[in-house]
Amino acid sequence: MERNMLYAEKVALIAGLCIVLYAYLRYWQRTRDTRGLLMFWRREMTLTASEFKWQRAGVALLLVAVVLRFVQALL
C-alpha cells in the first residue's frame, strides 16, 4: 500500500505540474506576455475561463500530491 501511495503522489505531482504549465503555455501563446508569466503570483495575468480551469485543476492535483505525502508520513 505504501508503494501505491508513493506512485500516486508522484503521478499527481507530475500531472499537476504539467497541467499548470499547459495553462500558462496557452496564456503565453495567446498574449506573448512573458512578464506576466514571470510574475504569476500577481494579478497581472488575465486568464481566459478555459486557462483558469486548467490552472485550478493543476493546482488541485498538486494539493492532492501534498496531502498524499502527509498521509504517507503519518503511516
Side-chain angles (χ1 to χ4, degrees):
M1 177 161 155
E2 186 174 316
R3 184 174 221 148
N4 290 338
M5 286 186 61
L6 179 65
Y7 288 133
E9 173 198 339
K10 300 284 186 200
V11 167
L13 183 66
I14 292 169
L17 186 60
C18 287
I19 290 172
V20 168
L21 290 176
Y22 173 72
Y24 291 159
L25 176 67
R26 287 183 58 176
Y27 169 80
W28 183 78
Q29 286 176 336
R30 182 175 53 85
T31 65
R32 300 286 186 206
D33 181 19
T34 306
R35 184 175 180 268
L37 281 177
L38 295 175
M39 298 190 179
F40 64 89
W41 59 89
R42 291 186 176 177
R43 294 198 176 259
E44 295 178 9
M45 287 179 61
T46 307
L47 300 173
T48 63
S50 173
E51 294 163 349
F52 182 76
K53 288 176 185 177
W54 279 106
Q55 180 196 31
R56 291 300 172 204
V59 170
L61 273 174
L62 290 171
L63 183 61
V64 166
V66 170
V67 168
L68 286 173
R69 172 65 67 128
F70 278 122
V71 168
Q72 184 179 353
L74 292 175
L75 295 178

